[in-house]
Amino acid sequence: MTTHDVVVVGAGPVGLWLAGELRLAGVWTVVLERLDEPGPAPIPCGFVRVSGYDAADQEPGRRTVTMDELRATAVRIAGTDFGMRDARWLSRFGNATRHAATYRKGRVLLAGDAAHVNNPIGGMGLNGGIQDAVSLSDRLAGILVNRDPDRLLDLYDLQRRTVAVEHVQEQSIANKKRLEASDPETRRKNLDDLRQIAADPARARQFLLRTAMIASQRRAATIELAEATP
Ligand SMILES: Cc1cc2nc3c(=O)[nH]c(=O)nc-3n(C[C@H](O)[C@H](O)[C@H](O)COP(=O)(O)OP(=O)(O)OC[C@H]3O[C@@H](n4cnc5c(N)ncnc54)[C@H](O)[C@@H]3O)c2cc1C
């Protein structure tokens, strides 16, 4: 029987990235995928992606959205269902912000959305997840070489969990608040702040390093396990 050093559960973007990195590092890996909800990509020619926010339908939970519900939402918001038919993929998403208390329990490790979710505004979820995958594959490959699994896996947990809270969540929550602001005075102030940042090369650079998540990578690299003990 073939044995594998690592089993990756979930062939989402983070799982596939992790498996690819592990393969390059020579780690035997198998990917398990649950295929009950096929994803949207690639969206074939002639198809149109429709997404929206329905204030009248905010029931929490992971109910699968139906074509009739999507039609009713479109009619409620836009007054027409645009003749929608032949849906290729239907899915519901929320804007919850959460993270797991730990990314490691023994030999089970979390990465990507399984470890942390944030609202999609600012496009940081997938980027953060891929940074997890790169960090985790480094640690797993390192175990084969220097065999200090506890230290390496605890370091993965501490580094990635810290930057998920300090960078991804902080930035995505700020993005959401900026977008949601409805008071004209607050909106004007927010835009003025952004203009001032854009006009100042040093501040603009810092802003880009933060939003492109380069700053979080650099921060993660400075975190040592000693930080965990008060
Ligand atoms: C509307 C929207 C827009 C977004 N835009 C951006 C963006 O612009 N930039 C960005 O960086 N991020 C964005 N994101 C976030 C991004 O989509 C997620 O962060 C990313 O998909 C997470 O990847 P993942 O592999 O961790 O999880 P997923 O993509 O959820 O993949 C998990 C996989 O695991 C499988 N699975 C689940 N349970 C099991 C099981 N028990 N056994 C086997 N397989 C299982 C699932 O079928 C799935 O294929 C957006 C999200 C939304 C909702």
Side-chain angles (χ1 to χ4, degrees), residues 149-161:
D150 279 326
R151 196 188 74 77
L152 287 172
L153 297 182
D154 284 346
L155 193 58
Y156 163 76
D157 166 55
L158 182 64
Q159 290 183 338
R160 297 309 309 164
R161 202 159 35 82

Side-chain angles (χ1 to χ4, degrees), residues 4-10 13-32 107 109-111 129-145 152-153 156:
H4 292 86
D5 295 318
V6 176
V7 177
V8 175
V9 180
V14 172
L16 291 176
W17 200 287
L18 176 59
E21 293 279 330
L22 288 170
R23 192 189 161 102
L24 287 176
V27 178
W28 283 59
T29 308
V30 66
V31 181
L32 302 181
R107 293 160 60 105
L109 297 135
L110 299 180
I130 286 178
Q131 290 184 356
D132 292 345
V134 171
S135 169
L136 183 54
S137 62
D138 237 27
R139 305 288 178 267
L140 291 171
I143 290 169
L144 292 183
V145 179
L152 287 172
L153 297 182
Y156 163 76

